[in-house]
Amino acid sequence: MTTVLAGHTAPAFEMDALNGQHFSLAEALKKGPVVAAFFKITCPVCQFTFPFLERLHKAYGDAAQFRGISQNDDYDTKEFLDEYGVTFPTLVDHEDDNFPVSNLYGLTNVPSILLIAPDGKVKVSFTGFDKEGLEKVSAELAEALGRQPAPVFHAGEVVPANKPG
């Protein structure tokens, strides 16, 4: 769970990405919507969810900014991204600092996914794997960009409605 729900204002934060670039939520929102996906590499539901987030990232490209926010160290996070084919930039919420961003968002479970609109308001917020939640992220991004929603799931793909995180 997260204490930041749809309709709330997303708390601002800044941190460095694995690629060395500095990330500021406030600056990113000036360019468009942000999908923030908190995760831990040992979480099986995160492992299941992230390839679907990657599909959305590929479908929407730079029109929406996807950011993973890992609760693991740099090395383990890079291995996770490689293993699950994740190409969107990822930030590391360092355990040494007691997970400051995760705590700012009141996280108790991962994965926690938030779609944040350019005005800073959270449009979609869910924890765990949520088929409907991922489809809503796609629909909201499409609406913001004035186009048809990209499919999240392939025809014939058997996907559960949800998996708790």
Side-chain angles (χ1 to χ4, degrees), residues 34 58 73 77 80-81 84 97 105 111 113 128 130-131 133 155:
V34 172
K58 286 184 176 172
D73 66 29
T77 298
F80 175 92
L81 300 175
Y84 294 97
D97 297 331
Y105 279 72
I113 318 295
D130 185 337
K131 187 175 183 181

Side-chain angles (χ1 to χ4, degrees), residues 104-153:
L104 183 63
Y105 279 72
L107 296 184
T108 58
N109 295 74
V110 289
S112 287
I113 318 295
L114 297 98
L115 170 59
I116 307 165
D119 66 0
K121 296 286 186 194
V122 176
K123 299 289 280 183
V124 180
S125 174
F126 62 92
T127 299
F129 174 82
D130 185 337
K131 187 175 183 181
E132 186 178 305
L134 288 168
E135 289 172 330
K136 187 167 183 172
V137 167
S138 184
E140 291 284 348
L141 288 174
E143 183 179 325
L145 300 171
R147 62 189 210 195
Q148 290 295 319
V152 183
F153 307 101

Side-chain angles (χ1 to χ4, degrees), residues 15 25 30 48 51 76 87 91 113 119 135 145 160:
M15 60 193 330
L25 180 61
K30 291 177 184 177
F48 184 78
D76 290 339
T87 62
L91 315 169
I113 318 295
D119 66 0
E135 289 172 330
L145 300 171

